[in-house]
Amino acid sequence: MVTKNQIKLVTSLQQKKYRSEHGLFVVEGKKMVNELLEVGLVPFKLFVDNSHELENFNKAELVSASELKQMSSLSTPNGILGVFHMRSTEKNENLDWTVALDAVRDPGNLGTIIRLCDWFGIKQLICSLDTVDCYNPKVLQATMGSIARVDVIYVDLPNYLKTMDYPIYGAFMDGENVYQKKLPEKGVLVMGNEANGISEEISELITERIAIPQFGEVTAESLNVATATAILLNEVRRNQAIQK
Amino acid sequence: MVTKNQIKLVTSLQQKKYRSEHGLFVVEGKKMVNELLEVGLVPFKLFVDNSHELENFNKAELVSASELKQMSSLSTPNGILGVFHMRSTEKNENLDWTVALDAVRDPGNLGTIIRLCDWFGIKQLICSLDTVDCYNPKVLQATMGSIARVDVIYVDLPNYLKTMDYPIYGAFMDGENVYQKKLPEKGVLVMGNEANGISEEISELITERIAIPQFGEVTAESLNVATATAILLNEVRRNQAIQK
């Protein structure tokens, strides 16, 4: 039996303010819930609308389809909704490469970048404070479960970068051709905002400006930030793989 | 003065059936309209809702904001709507690399792939007949104008591939590590459907099965098709750039 107050709490978590206040976030669908449980995230509540699922999910509560719909952010809820405690994530300095995002605003882009970090074995994604919240439902959906394996950490990005003693790479339209760079074993890759790229303040902290060469007629358009991140992470890893 | 029949024609073009019947498609926004005009596409009609724009667009017709809204597929129309004749595109065999899509269904993915082809100088994108229509408004929006520079051609894909005398590369989860392949000067890169990958019929025509290596914990997820295309086109071009 779900109470009105619980429904109110769950729907409030669609807003970042309440997610931060309660330290809770919502995911929907069996696959996402299972992936979070597998990596050991702690569920606060699990709601299912079908009694068969009670066998699969220990401690889940049975609700009616209409109650689930009230709590869901989807137009067609898909049978299970999980409220999880946010992970406490600490910065880990013992990693090879880190990705840092400067004001990435589109949830789909952040989700795709988290999924890419997972693919390329980047354990830690550093985000400026004005990057979109990684617990935003659209971000979570786009990660396809990778949120469970990548630590997303929000920091004052200029201060963070100032403490780095590794090279800091940044993607710029007019940077040096990445094919001609020998990428090191350890570094930070900074990717900028969709419309404005890397901000001026952060630009000053970049030690290596890189670019993906363009082969078509040169037009003003840049690549989308998630696409560019895909290509540059591939460059980082292929460099390491080839050297071994 | 726009007639009711014209409004009816323009809104009908939101459906593929009517786009094919009339050989016409719609784009919205100054940037898109300008890019299509620049590459020489022929406008059938241009509608603007502000008389200042009449100076910029030769032969544009002034309509009221409410008439523009009736014709637009956007919730907030952005001042200019162009109806263009589709380009007649012919297969060109004199190219270095071609990308071929097998049943890519998501408009955002197709749009992103067209934009990538433009970036990497791939002049021709071959699509199976069940790939989403490139004149779908969501595809056009995602191309960011690149539709003007890349020929998108719909063909019976198995028949098309049977006539190829270049190597045909296909992306598979269990393909060979692309870092270890020496990619040739000419070839076809086949990318598959979002959920099912490359179909069995097409698989039999692939001469080289390739994969992007995974560096994280190995999970079942594959990369999104647009992201994977980005990485593989980068591999094709870096190979050529390094050899020169």
Side-chain angles (χ1 to χ4, degrees), chain A residues 31 115 118-119 179 212-213 215-216 221-222 224 227 231 234-235 238, chain B residues 31 115-116 118-119 179 212-213 215-216 221-222 224 231 234-235 238:
Chain A
K31 182 168 178 303
R115 191 172 164 192
D118 188 24
W119 183 272
Y179 300 168
I212 300 163
F215 291 83
E221 279 319 323
S222 63
N224 159 285
T227 306
I231 294 171
N234 182 65
E235 288 289 326
R238 88 172 333 272
Chain B
K31 181 167 179 301
R115 191 171 164 193
L116 280 164
D118 188 23
W119 182 273
Y179 300 167
I212 300 163
F215 292 82
E221 278 319 321
S222 62
N224 160 286
I231 294 170
N234 182 64
E235 288 289 325
R238 85 165 346 264

PDB file of all heavy atoms in Angstrom, chain A residues 31 115 118-119 179 212-213 215-216 221-222 224 227 231 234-235 238, chain B residues 31 115-116 118-119 179 212-213 215-216 221-222 224 231 234-235 238:
ATOM      1  N   LYS A  31      15.399  -3.465 -16.262  1.00  0.00           N
ATOM      2  CA  LYS A  31      16.811  -3.534 -16.606  1.00  0.00           C
ATOM      3  C   LYS A  31      17.625  -2.547 -15.760  1.00  0.00           C
ATOM      4  O   LYS A  31      18.649  -2.905 -15.168  1.00  0.00           O
ATOM      5  CB  LYS A  31      16.963  -3.214 -18.096  1.00  0.00           C
ATOM      6  CG  LYS A  31      18.373  -3.286 -18.595  1.00  0.00           C
ATOM      7  CD  LYS A  31      18.404  -3.240 -20.116  1.00  0.00           C
ATOM      8  CE  LYS A  31      19.846  -3.268 -20.592  1.00  0.00           C
ATOM      9  NZ  LYS A  31      20.652  -2.176 -20.052  1.00  0.00           N
ATOM     10  N   ARG A 115      27.766   6.612 -20.768  1.00  0.00           N
ATOM     11  CA  ARG A 115      27.806   5.294 -21.415  1.00  0.00           C
ATOM     12  C   ARG A 115      29.162   5.073 -22.103  1.00  0.00           C
ATOM     13  O   ARG A 115      29.741   3.981 -22.063  1.00  0.00           O
ATOM     14  CB  ARG A 115      26.667   5.244 -22.439  1.00  0.00           C
ATOM     15  CG  ARG A 115      26.372   3.886 -23.025  1.00  0.00           C
ATOM     16  CD  ARG A 115      25.098   3.972 -23.864  1.00  0.00           C
ATOM     17  NE  ARG A 115      24.962   2.834 -24.752  1.00  0.00           N
ATOM     18  CZ  ARG A 115      24.071   2.770 -25.749  1.00  0.00           C
ATOM     19  NH1 ARG A 115      23.247   3.780 -25.951  1.00  0.00           N
ATOM     20  NH2 ARG A 115      24.001   1.707 -26.521  1.00  0.00           N
ATOM     21  N   ASP A 118      31.878   4.307 -19.559  1.00  0.00           N
ATOM     22  CA  ASP A 118      31.758   2.904 -19.171  1.00  0.00           C
ATOM     23  C   ASP A 118      32.434   2.013 -20.220  1.00  0.00           C
ATOM     24  O   ASP A 118      33.241   1.141 -19.891  1.00  0.00           O
ATOM     25  CB  ASP A 118      30.263   2.573 -19.035  1.00  0.00           C
ATOM     26  CG  ASP A 118      30.007   1.192 -18.453  1.00  0.00           C
ATOM     27  OD1 ASP A 118      30.888   0.658 -17.753  1.00  0.00           O
ATOM     28  OD2 ASP A 118      28.910   0.642 -18.682  1.00  0.00           O
ATOM     29  N   TRP A 119      32.127   2.246 -21.480  1.00  0.00           N
ATOM     30  CA  TRP A 119      32.708   1.437 -22.570  1.00  0.00           C
ATOM     31  C   TRP A 119      34.231   1.512 -22.579  1.00  0.00           C
ATOM     32  O   TRP A 119      34.919   0.507 -22.737  1.00  0.00           O
ATOM     33  CB  TRP A 119      32.164   1.917 -23.919  1.00  0.00           C
ATOM     34  CG  TRP A 119      32.659   1.092 -25.072  1.00  0.00           C
ATOM     35  CD1 TRP A 119      33.807   1.278 -25.784  1.00  0.00           C
ATOM     36  CD2 TRP A 119      32.041  -0.070 -25.616  1.00  0.00           C
ATOM     37  NE1 TRP A 119      33.929   0.312 -26.750  1.00  0.00           N
ATOM     38  CE2 TRP A 119      32.860  -0.537 -26.676  1.00  0.00           C
ATOM     39  CE3 TRP A 119      30.852  -0.769 -25.318  1.00  0.00           C
ATOM     40  CZ2 TRP A 119      32.543  -1.662 -27.428  1.00  0.00           C
ATOM     41  CZ3 TRP A 119      30.538  -1.888 -26.084  1.00  0.00           C
ATOM     42  CH2 TRP A 119      31.378  -2.328 -27.117  1.00  0.00           C
ATOM     43  N   TYR A 179      45.516  13.343 -34.263  1.00  0.00           N
ATOM     44  CA  TYR A 179      46.257  12.216 -34.852  1.00  0.00           C
ATOM     45  C   TYR A 179      47.768  12.409 -34.697  1.00  0.00           C
ATOM     46  O   TYR A 179      48.527  11.464 -34.757  1.00  0.00           O
ATOM     47  CB  TYR A 179      45.976  12.061 -36.352  1.00  0.00           C
ATOM     48  CG  TYR A 179      44.542  11.816 -36.746  1.00  0.00           C
ATOM     49  CD1 TYR A 179      44.166  11.920 -38.086  1.00  0.00           C
ATOM     50  CD2 TYR A 179      43.572  11.470 -35.820  1.00  0.00           C
ATOM     51  CE1 TYR A 179      42.857  11.684 -38.481  1.00  0.00           C
ATOM     52  CE2 TYR A 179      42.258  11.255 -36.207  1.00  0.00           C
ATOM     53  CZ  TYR A 179      41.904  11.364 -37.540  1.00  0.00           C
ATOM     54  OH  TYR A 179      40.621  11.145 -37.945  1.00  0.00           O
ATOM     55  N   ILE A 212      39.654  17.270 -33.615  1.00  0.00           N
ATOM     56  CA  ILE A 212      39.436  16.159 -34.544  1.00  0.00           C
ATOM     57  C   ILE A 212      39.472  16.753 -35.946  1.00  0.00           C
ATOM     58  O   ILE A 212      38.717  17.674 -36.230  1.00  0.00           O
ATOM     59  CB  ILE A 212      38.068  15.508 -34.279  1.00  0.00           C
ATOM     60  CG1 ILE A 212      38.004  14.968 -32.844  1.00  0.00           C
ATOM     61  CG2 ILE A 212      37.779  14.401 -35.296  1.00  0.00           C
ATOM     62  CD1 ILE A 212      36.601  14.691 -32.352  1.00  0.00           C
ATOM     63  N   PRO A 213      40.372  16.270 -36.809  1.00  0.00           N
ATOM     64  CA  PRO A 213      40.457  16.892 -38.133  1.00  0.00           C
ATOM     65  C   PRO A 213      39.176  16.690 -38.941  1.00  0.00           C
ATOM     66  O   PRO A 213      38.493  15.686 -38.803  1.00  0.00           O
ATOM     67  CB  PRO A 213      41.635  16.182 -38.793  1.00  0.00           C
ATOM     68  CG  PRO A 213      41.871  14.956 -38.015  1.00  0.00           C
ATOM     69  CD  PRO A 213      41.356  15.192 -36.638  1.00  0.00           C
ATOM     70  N   PHE A 215      37.357  16.427 -42.695  1.00  0.00           N
ATOM     71  CA  PHE A 215      37.754  15.961 -44.022  1.00  0.00           C
ATOM     72  C   PHE A 215      36.833  16.441 -45.128  1.00  0.00           C
ATOM     73  O   PHE A 215      37.193  16.425 -46.285  1.00  0.00           O
ATOM     74  CB  PHE A 215      37.841  14.432 -44.042  1.00  0.00           C
ATOM     75  CG  PHE A 215      38.976  13.911 -43.214  1.00  0.00           C
ATOM     76  CD1 PHE A 215      38.838  13.740 -41.850  1.00  0.00           C
ATOM     77  CD2 PHE A 215      40.192  13.645 -43.801  1.00  0.00           C
ATOM     78  CE1 PHE A 215      39.892  13.286 -41.074  1.00  0.00           C
ATOM     79  CE2 PHE A 215      41.253  13.186 -43.035  1.00  0.00           C
ATOM     80  CZ  PHE A 215      41.101  13.012 -41.668  1.00  0.00           C
ATOM     81  N   GLY A 216      35.646  16.833 -44.776  1.00  0.00           N
ATOM     82  CA  GLY A 216      34.735  17.322 -45.808  1.00  0.00           C
ATOM     83  C   GLY A 216      35.096  18.751 -46.158  1.00  0.00           C
ATOM     84  O   GLY A 216      36.130  19.273 -45.756  1.00  0.00           O
ATOM     85  N   GLU A 221      30.090  24.199 -38.739  1.00  0.00           N
ATOM     86  CA  GLU A 221      29.570  23.264 -37.744  1.00  0.00           C
ATOM     87  C   GLU A 221      30.665  22.485 -37.033  1.00  0.00           C
ATOM     88  O   GLU A 221      31.582  21.982 -37.661  1.00  0.00           O
ATOM     89  CB  GLU A 221      28.672  22.223 -38.429  1.00  0.00           C
ATOM     90  CG  GLU A 221      27.286  22.643 -38.708  1.00  0.00           C
ATOM     91  CD  GLU A 221      26.648  23.440 -37.599  1.00  0.00           C
ATOM     92  OE1 GLU A 221      26.891  23.139 -36.413  1.00  0.00           O
ATOM     93  OE2 GLU A 221      25.933  24.381 -37.913  1.00  0.00           O
ATOM     94  N   SER A 222      30.519  22.321 -35.733  1.00  0.00           N
ATOM     95  CA  SER A 222      31.390  21.393 -35.022  1.00  0.00           C
ATOM     96  C   SER A 222      30.647  20.068 -34.882  1.00  0.00           C
ATOM     97  O   SER A 222      29.476  19.977 -35.216  1.00  0.00           O
ATOM     98  CB  SER A 222      31.712  21.948 -33.650  1.00  0.00           C
ATOM     99  OG  SER A 222      30.531  22.063 -32.901  1.00  0.00           O
ATOM    100  N   ASN A 224      28.889  17.219 -32.573  1.00  0.00           N
ATOM    101  CA  ASN A 224      28.171  17.181 -31.308  1.00  0.00           C
ATOM    102  C   ASN A 224      29.131  16.744 -30.192  1.00  0.00           C
ATOM    103  O   ASN A 224      30.041  15.956 -30.426  1.00  0.00           O
ATOM    104  CB  ASN A 224      27.010  16.185 -31.496  1.00  0.00           C
ATOM    105  CG  ASN A 224      26.464  15.643 -30.213  1.00  0.00           C
ATOM    106  OD1 ASN A 224      27.067  14.791 -29.572  1.00  0.00           O
ATOM    107  ND2 ASN A 224      25.328  16.146 -29.819  1.00  0.00           N
ATOM    108  N   THR A 227      29.517  12.952 -29.607  1.00  0.00           N
ATOM    109  CA  THR A 227      30.219  12.337 -30.729  1.00  0.00           C
ATOM    110  C   THR A 227      31.719  12.619 -30.637  1.00  0.00           C
ATOM    111  O   THR A 227      32.550  11.732 -30.835  1.00  0.00           O
ATOM    112  CB  THR A 227      29.668  12.928 -32.049  1.00  0.00           C
ATOM    113  OG1 THR A 227      28.265  12.764 -32.052  1.00  0.00           O
ATOM    114  CG2 THR A 227      30.267  12.254 -33.246  1.00  0.00           C
ATOM    115  N   ILE A 231      35.003   9.954 -30.136  1.00  0.00           N
ATOM    116  CA  ILE A 231      36.190   9.871 -30.990  1.00  0.00           C
ATOM    117  C   ILE A 231      37.457  10.097 -30.167  1.00  0.00           C
ATOM    118  O   ILE A 231      38.451   9.386 -30.317  1.00  0.00           O
ATOM    119  CB  ILE A 231      36.080  10.886 -32.146  1.00  0.00           C
ATOM    120  CG1 ILE A 231      34.919  10.466 -33.068  1.00  0.00           C
ATOM    121  CG2 ILE A 231      37.394  11.001 -32.917  1.00  0.00           C
ATOM    122  CD1 ILE A 231      34.554  11.499 -34.123  1.00  0.00           C
ATOM    123  N   ASN A 234      38.281   7.169 -27.902  1.00  0.00           N
ATOM    124  CA  ASN A 234      38.832   6.112 -28.743  1.00  0.00           C
ATOM    125  C   ASN A 234      40.311   6.393 -29.046  1.00  0.00           C
ATOM    126  O   ASN A 234      41.148   5.487 -29.009  1.00  0.00           O
ATOM    127  CB  ASN A 234      38.019   6.014 -30.037  1.00  0.00           C
ATOM    128  CG  ASN A 234      38.506   4.899 -30.944  1.00  0.00           C
ATOM    129  OD1 ASN A 234      38.413   3.726 -30.602  1.00  0.00           O
ATOM    130  ND2 ASN A 234      39.042   5.276 -32.101  1.00  0.00           N
ATOM    131  N   GLU A 235      40.631   7.662 -29.296  1.00  0.00           N
ATOM    132  CA  GLU A 235      42.034   8.037 -29.561  1.00  0.00           C
ATOM    133  C   GLU A 235      42.916   7.750 -28.340  1.00  0.00           C
ATOM    134  O   GLU A 235      44.023   7.232 -28.468  1.00  0.00           O
ATOM    135  CB  GLU A 235      42.132   9.516 -29.933  1.00  0.00           C
ATOM    136  CG  GLU A 235      41.592   9.840 -31.325  1.00  0.00           C
ATOM    137  CD  GLU A 235      42.497   9.300 -32.440  1.00  0.00           C
ATOM    138  OE1 GLU A 235      43.720   9.271 -32.261  1.00  0.00           O
ATOM    139  OE2 GLU A 235      41.952   8.887 -33.480  1.00  0.00           O
ATOM    140  N   ARG A 238      43.178   3.844 -28.045  1.00  0.00           N
ATOM    141  CA  ARG A 238      43.927   3.190 -29.139  1.00  0.00           C
ATOM    142  C   ARG A 238      45.420   3.487 -28.990  1.00  0.00           C
ATOM    143  O   ARG A 238      46.253   2.619 -29.201  1.00  0.00           O
ATOM    144  CB  ARG A 238      43.397   3.595 -30.515  1.00  0.00           C
ATOM    145  CG  ARG A 238      44.026   4.822 -31.083  1.00  0.00           C
ATOM    146  CD  ARG A 238      43.712   5.188 -32.509  1.00  0.00           C
ATOM    147  NE  ARG A 238      43.358   4.186 -33.466  1.00  0.00           N
ATOM    148  CZ  ARG A 238      44.217   3.509 -34.215  1.00  0.00           C
ATOM    149  NH1 ARG A 238      45.523   3.683 -34.056  1.00  0.00           N
ATOM    150  NH2 ARG A 238      43.786   2.680 -35.121  1.00  0.00           N
TER     151      ARG A 238
ATOM    152  N   LYS B  31      18.725  29.177 -40.875  1.00  0.00           N
ATOM    153  CA  LYS B  31      20.001  28.527 -41.116  1.00  0.00           C
ATOM    154  C   LYS B  31      19.854  27.363 -42.100  1.00  0.00           C
ATOM    155  O   LYS B  31      20.605  27.246 -43.076  1.00  0.00           O
ATOM    156  CB  LYS B  31      20.556  28.044 -39.774  1.00  0.00           C
ATOM    157  CG  LYS B  31      21.884  27.360 -39.870  1.00  0.00           C
ATOM    158  CD  LYS B  31      22.502  27.189 -38.497  1.00  0.00           C
ATOM    159  CE  LYS B  31      23.833  26.469 -38.634  1.00  0.00           C
ATOM    160  NZ  LYS B  31      23.741  25.158 -39.253  1.00  0.00           N
ATOM    161  N   ARG B 115      25.460  14.025 -40.458  1.00  0.00           N
ATOM    162  CA  ARG B 115      26.372  15.087 -40.017  1.00  0.00           C
ATOM    163  C   ARG B 115      27.811  14.562 -39.939  1.00  0.00           C
ATOM    164  O   ARG B 115      28.767  15.245 -40.318  1.00  0.00           O
ATOM    165  CB  ARG B 115      25.890  15.572 -38.641  1.00  0.00           C
ATOM    166  CG  ARG B 115      26.535  16.818 -38.134  1.00  0.00           C
ATOM    167  CD  ARG B 115      25.805  17.278 -36.877  1.00  0.00           C
ATOM    168  NE  ARG B 115      26.574  18.255 -36.124  1.00  0.00           N
ATOM    169  CZ  ARG B 115      26.289  18.624 -34.877  1.00  0.00           C
ATOM    170  NH1 ARG B 115      25.236  18.111 -34.241  1.00  0.00           N
ATOM    171  NH2 ARG B 115      27.035  19.514 -34.261  1.00  0.00           N
ATOM    172  N   LEU B 116      27.964  13.326 -39.469  1.00  0.00           N
ATOM    173  CA  LEU B 116      29.295  12.708 -39.392  1.00  0.00           C
ATOM    174  C   LEU B 116      29.885  12.479 -40.777  1.00  0.00           C
ATOM    175  O   LEU B 116      31.086  12.684 -40.989  1.00  0.00           O
ATOM    176  CB  LEU B 116      29.199  11.359 -38.682  1.00  0.00           C
ATOM    177  CG  LEU B 116      29.149  11.416 -37.168  1.00  0.00           C
ATOM    178  CD1 LEU B 116      28.674  10.085 -36.614  1.00  0.00           C
ATOM    179  CD2 LEU B 116      30.545  11.764 -36.639  1.00  0.00           C
ATOM    180  N   ASP B 118      29.324  14.192 -43.388  1.00  0.00           N
ATOM    181  CA  ASP B 118      29.740  15.522 -43.846  1.00  0.00           C
ATOM    182  C   ASP B 118      31.104  15.880 -43.248  1.00  0.00           C
ATOM    183  O   ASP B 118      32.027  16.296 -43.951  1.00  0.00           O
ATOM    184  CB  ASP B 118      28.663  16.525 -43.427  1.00  0.00           C
ATOM    185  CG  ASP B 118      28.886  17.918 -44.008  1.00  0.00           C
ATOM    186  OD1 ASP B 118      29.569  18.027 -45.037  1.00  0.00           O
ATOM    187  OD2 ASP B 118      28.357  18.886 -43.435  1.00  0.00           O
ATOM    188  N   TRP B 119      31.251  15.680 -41.949  1.00  0.00           N
ATOM    189  CA  TRP B 119      32.513  16.010 -41.267  1.00  0.00           C
ATOM    190  C   TRP B 119      33.687  15.227 -41.848  1.00  0.00           C
ATOM    191  O   TRP B 119      34.770  15.758 -42.064  1.00  0.00           O
ATOM    192  CB  TRP B 119      32.384  15.710 -39.757  1.00  0.00           C
ATOM    193  CG  TRP B 119      33.620  16.070 -38.998  1.00  0.00           C
ATOM    194  CD1 TRP B 119      34.714  15.290 -38.786  1.00  0.00           C
ATOM    195  CD2 TRP B 119      33.898  17.337 -38.372  1.00  0.00           C
ATOM    196  NE1 TRP B 119      35.647  15.979 -38.054  1.00  0.00           N
ATOM    197  CE2 TRP B 119      35.174  17.231 -37.795  1.00  0.00           C
ATOM    198  CE3 TRP B 119      33.176  18.523 -38.243  1.00  0.00           C
ATOM    199  CZ2 TRP B 119      35.751  18.285 -37.094  1.00  0.00           C
ATOM    200  CZ3 TRP B 119      33.757  19.572 -37.548  1.00  0.00           C
ATOM    201  CH2 TRP B 119      35.023  19.443 -36.991  1.00  0.00           C
ATOM    202  N   TYR B 179      41.514  -1.698 -34.299  1.00  0.00           N
ATOM    203  CA  TYR B 179      42.865  -1.121 -34.170  1.00  0.00           C
ATOM    204  C   TYR B 179      43.896  -1.989 -34.884  1.00  0.00           C
ATOM    205  O   TYR B 179      44.979  -1.526 -35.235  1.00  0.00           O
ATOM    206  CB  TYR B 179      43.299  -1.004 -32.707  1.00  0.00           C
ATOM    207  CG  TYR B 179      42.441  -0.142 -31.819  1.00  0.00           C
ATOM    208  CD1 TYR B 179      42.609  -0.190 -30.431  1.00  0.00           C
ATOM    209  CD2 TYR B 179      41.480   0.728 -32.324  1.00  0.00           C
ATOM    210  CE1 TYR B 179      41.846   0.589 -29.588  1.00  0.00           C
ATOM    211  CE2 TYR B 179      40.705   1.500 -31.485  1.00  0.00           C
ATOM    212  CZ  TYR B 179      40.885   1.429 -30.107  1.00  0.00           C
ATOM    213  OH  TYR B 179      40.124   2.197 -29.272  1.00  0.00           O
ATOM    214  N   ILE B 212      34.777  -2.273 -32.208  1.00  0.00           N
ATOM    215  CA  ILE B 212      35.491  -1.290 -31.394  1.00  0.00           C
ATOM    216  C   ILE B 212      35.788  -1.971 -30.062  1.00  0.00           C
ATOM    217  O   ILE B 212      34.865  -2.443 -29.404  1.00  0.00           O
ATOM    218  CB  ILE B 212      34.615  -0.042 -31.166  1.00  0.00           C
ATOM    219  CG1 ILE B 212      34.262   0.598 -32.514  1.00  0.00           C
ATOM    220  CG2 ILE B 212      35.321   0.945 -30.236  1.00  0.00           C
ATOM    221  CD1 ILE B 212      33.092   1.556 -32.440  1.00  0.00           C
ATOM    222  N   PRO B 213      37.055  -2.059 -29.666  1.00  0.00           N
ATOM    223  CA  PRO B 213      37.346  -2.779 -28.422  1.00  0.00           C
ATOM    224  C   PRO B 213      36.739  -2.084 -27.210  1.00  0.00           C
ATOM    225  O   PRO B 213      36.613  -0.864 -27.173  1.00  0.00           O
ATOM    226  CB  PRO B 213      38.872  -2.781 -28.352  1.00  0.00           C
ATOM    227  CG  PRO B 213      39.322  -1.728 -29.286  1.00  0.00           C
ATOM    228  CD  PRO B 213      38.263  -1.578 -30.328  1.00  0.00           C
ATOM    229  N   PHE B 215      36.899  -1.378 -23.092  1.00  0.00           N
ATOM    230  CA  PHE B 215      37.949  -1.292 -22.078  1.00  0.00           C
ATOM    231  C   PHE B 215      37.419  -1.385 -20.658  1.00  0.00           C
ATOM    232  O   PHE B 215      38.158  -1.643 -19.732  1.00  0.00           O
ATOM    233  CB  PHE B 215      38.753  -0.008 -22.249  1.00  0.00           C
ATOM    234  CG  PHE B 215      39.559  -0.002 -23.499  1.00  0.00           C
ATOM    235  CD1 PHE B 215      39.001   0.339 -24.716  1.00  0.00           C
ATOM    236  CD2 PHE B 215      40.885  -0.406 -23.472  1.00  0.00           C
ATOM    237  CE1 PHE B 215      39.737   0.314 -25.889  1.00  0.00           C
ATOM    238  CE2 PHE B 215      41.638  -0.437 -24.638  1.00  0.00           C
ATOM    239  CZ  PHE B 215      41.058  -0.075 -25.844  1.00  0.00           C
ATOM    240  N   GLY B 216      36.138  -1.125 -20.479  1.00  0.00           N
ATOM    241  CA  GLY B 216      35.575  -1.240 -19.134  1.00  0.00           C
ATOM    242  C   GLY B 216      35.329  -2.701 -18.818  1.00  0.00           C
ATOM    243  O   GLY B 216      35.766  -3.592 -19.537  1.00  0.00           O
ATOM    244  N   GLU B 221      25.933  -4.303 -23.121  1.00  0.00           N
ATOM    245  CA  GLU B 221      25.566  -3.149 -23.937  1.00  0.00           C
ATOM    246  C   GLU B 221      26.527  -2.911 -25.100  1.00  0.00           C
ATOM    247  O   GLU B 221      27.735  -2.954 -24.931  1.00  0.00           O
ATOM    248  CB  GLU B 221      25.607  -1.885 -23.084  1.00  0.00           C
ATOM    249  CG  GLU B 221      24.396  -1.638 -22.253  1.00  0.00           C
ATOM    250  CD  GLU B 221      23.097  -1.935 -22.942  1.00  0.00           C
ATOM    251  OE1 GLU B 221      22.959  -1.635 -24.147  1.00  0.00           O
ATOM    252  OE2 GLU B 221      22.222  -2.493 -22.293  1.00  0.00           O
ATOM    253  N   SER B 222      25.981  -2.578 -26.229  1.00  0.00           N
ATOM    254  CA  SER B 222      26.826  -2.116 -27.317  1.00  0.00           C
ATOM    255  C   SER B 222      26.816  -0.589 -27.294  1.00  0.00           C
ATOM    256  O   SER B 222      26.071   0.025 -26.545  1.00  0.00           O
ATOM    257  CB  SER B 222      26.284  -2.611 -28.648  1.00  0.00           C
ATOM    258  OG  SER B 222      25.000  -2.077 -28.855  1.00  0.00           O
ATOM    259  N   ASN B 224      25.888   2.985 -28.989  1.00  0.00           N
ATOM    260  CA  ASN B 224      24.839   3.489 -29.885  1.00  0.00           C
ATOM    261  C   ASN B 224      25.370   3.529 -31.319  1.00  0.00           C
ATOM    262  O   ASN B 224      26.558   3.768 -31.544  1.00  0.00           O
ATOM    263  CB  ASN B 224      24.463   4.890 -29.359  1.00  0.00           C
ATOM    264  CG  ASN B 224      23.772   5.741 -30.383  1.00  0.00           C
ATOM    265  OD1 ASN B 224      24.390   6.238 -31.327  1.00  0.00           O
ATOM    266  ND2 ASN B 224      22.482   5.903 -30.223  1.00  0.00           N
ATOM    267  N   ILE B 231      33.233   6.684 -34.348  1.00  0.00           N
ATOM    268  CA  ILE B 231      34.546   6.105 -34.031  1.00  0.00           C
ATOM    269  C   ILE B 231      35.118   5.389 -35.253  1.00  0.00           C
ATOM    270  O   ILE B 231      36.301   5.530 -35.576  1.00  0.00           O
ATOM    271  CB  ILE B 231      34.425   5.152 -32.818  1.00  0.00           C
ATOM    272  CG1 ILE B 231      34.063   5.975 -31.568  1.00  0.00           C
ATOM    273  CG2 ILE B 231      35.699   4.349 -32.610  1.00  0.00           C
ATOM    274  CD1 ILE B 231      33.694   5.141 -30.365  1.00  0.00           C
ATOM    275  N   ASN B 234      36.265   7.799 -37.946  1.00  0.00           N
ATOM    276  CA  ASN B 234      37.532   8.374 -37.498  1.00  0.00           C
ATOM    277  C   ASN B 234      38.683   7.399 -37.764  1.00  0.00           C
ATOM    278  O   ASN B 234      39.764   7.800 -38.204  1.00  0.00           O
ATOM    279  CB  ASN B 234      37.441   8.716 -36.014  1.00  0.00           C
ATOM    280  CG  ASN B 234      38.701   9.359 -35.476  1.00  0.00           C
ATOM    281  OD1 ASN B 234      39.067  10.443 -35.887  1.00  0.00           O
ATOM    282  ND2 ASN B 234      39.389   8.661 -34.572  1.00  0.00           N
ATOM    283  N   GLU B 235      38.447   6.111 -37.534  1.00  0.00           N
ATOM    284  CA  GLU B 235      39.474   5.094 -37.796  1.00  0.00           C
ATOM    285  C   GLU B 235      39.831   5.051 -39.289  1.00  0.00           C
ATOM    286  O   GLU B 235      41.000   4.975 -39.653  1.00  0.00           O
ATOM    287  CB  GLU B 235      38.991   3.706 -37.340  1.00  0.00           C
ATOM    288  CG  GLU B 235      38.950   3.531 -35.826  1.00  0.00           C
ATOM    289  CD  GLU B 235      40.348   3.453 -35.220  1.00  0.00           C
ATOM    290  OE1 GLU B 235      41.270   2.909 -35.850  1.00  0.00           O
ATOM    291  OE2 GLU B 235      40.523   3.961 -34.090  1.00  0.00           O
ATOM    292  N   ARG B 238      41.781   8.378 -40.074  1.00  0.00           N
ATOM    293  CA  ARG B 238      43.110   8.469 -39.430  1.00  0.00           C
ATOM    294  C   ARG B 238      44.077   7.522 -40.137  1.00  0.00           C
ATOM    295  O   ARG B 238      45.234   7.853 -40.353  1.00  0.00           O
ATOM    296  CB  ARG B 238      43.034   8.232 -37.930  1.00  0.00           C
ATOM    297  CG  ARG B 238      43.069   6.799 -37.535  1.00  0.00           C
ATOM    298  CD  ARG B 238      43.339   6.439 -36.097  1.00  0.00           C
ATOM    299  NE  ARG B 238      43.845   7.396 -35.175  1.00  0.00           N
ATOM    300  CZ  ARG B 238      45.138   7.523 -34.881  1.00  0.00           C
ATOM    301  NH1 ARG B 238      46.038   6.801 -35.519  1.00  0.00           N
ATOM    302  NH2 ARG B 238      45.503   8.379 -33.965  1.00  0.00           N
TER     303      ARG B 238
END
